[in-house]
Amino acid sequence: MKRAVFPGSFDPLTLGHKDIIDRALPLFDEIIIAIGINSSKQYMFSLEQRISFIKETFKSNDKIKVETYQGLTIAYCQKVKSDFILRGLRNPADFEFEKAIAHTNRKMSEIETVFLLTSADTSYISSSIVRDILKNKGDVSRFVPKAVIQ
Ligand code: ADP
């Protein structure tokens, strides 16, 4: 079974994340959307809220699972028997950052990182900009799935 882990904070899930997940679906038998728990990070949405945004958005797709993990992403991949990490690339800054992590993960394990380039119409979306708009009581409906707005 070809299984991929899509790790991230998803604080909150955006249409950019959704684009990557939708486009990765034909490539894998199962995609685990894995919310990394970092106790030193402050989140806008609780873990329960972030899980429920993802579950609600992908409720009609049984190839997608939502889980949480702590520690190294490669250790988590080994635990759930996933040979692939899925990541999205928006711009050169993402590429430089992701390249170092992917090389490091590859040195430490057999796990391959699969990158998908974001679609042009969602490549500018980021969870941090969505959080800024929300803090200032703006409308984020063009940037996040319906489940997040409700
Ligand atoms: P992290 O804190 O690990 O960056 P995020 O939740 O911000 O977690 O992102 C998870 C993954 O989704 C990363 O691979 C990131 O590059 C990708 N991603 C984030 N926003 C977008 C977007 N607008 N288009 C495509 N991929 C995105």
Side-chain angles (χ1 to χ4, degrees), residues 6-10 16-17 20 41 87-88 90 94 118 122 125:
F6 186 40
S9 313
F10 305 103
H17 297 128
I20 295 293
K41 230 172 156 179
R87 296 291 283 176
R90 288 168 288 189
D94 270 359
T118 63
T122 56
I125 302 174

Side-chain angles (χ1 to χ4, degrees), residues 12-16 18 57 125-127 130-131 134 139-150:
L13 180 74
T14 68
L15 291 179
K18 184 174 182 299
T57 302
I125 302 174
S126 74
S127 294
V130 166
R131 291 196 298 275
L134 286 171
D139 173 13
V140 295
S141 55
R142 270 162 288 186
F143 313 121
V144 297
K146 278 199 187 72
V148 178
I149 301 160
Q150 286 151 8

Side-chain angles (χ1 to χ4, degrees), residues 6-21 23 34 36 41 43 69 73 85-91 94-95 97-98 101 114-119 121-128 131 143:
F6 186 40
S9 313
F10 305 103
D11 187 31
L13 180 74
T14 68
L15 291 179
H17 297 128
K18 184 174 182 299
D19 169 65
I20 295 293
I21 296 161
R23 287 170 42 224
K41 230 172 156 179
Y43 299 103
Y69 74 104
T73 304
I85 293 174
L86 173 67
R87 296 291 283 176
L89 291 179
R90 288 168 288 189
N91 49 45
D94 270 359
F95 173 72
F97 179 71
E98 297 290 342
I101 297 177
V114 175
F115 294 107
L116 290 183
L117 285 183
T118 63
S119 305
D121 54 349
T122 56
S123 65
Y124 62 91
I125 302 174
S126 74
S127 294
S128 63
R131 291 196 298 275
F143 313 121

Side-chain angles (χ1 to χ4, degrees), residues 40-96:
S40 60
K41 230 172 156 179
Q42 286 273 347
Y43 299 103
M44 174 175 254
F45 293 96
S46 71
L47 190 55
E48 290 69 29
Q49 285 173 310
R50 285 179 282 148
I51 292 171
S52 94
F53 295 154
I54 300 170
K55 281 198 170 152
E56 179 62 23
T57 302
F58 295 104
K59 65 182 174 204
S60 57
N61 198 316
D62 57 10
K63 280 170 79 175
I64 296 175
K65 307 265 176 302
V66 188
E67 290 191 12
T68 62
Y69 74 104
Q70 268 176 314
L72 290 179
T73 304
I74 51 167
Y76 175 71
C77 289
Q78 284 157 346
K79 187 178 133 201
V80 298
K81 301 197 182 347
S82 168
D83 295 327
F84 303 98
I85 293 174
L86 173 67
R87 296 291 283 176
L89 291 179
R90 288 168 288 189
N91 49 45
D94 270 359
F95 173 72
E96 287 303 330

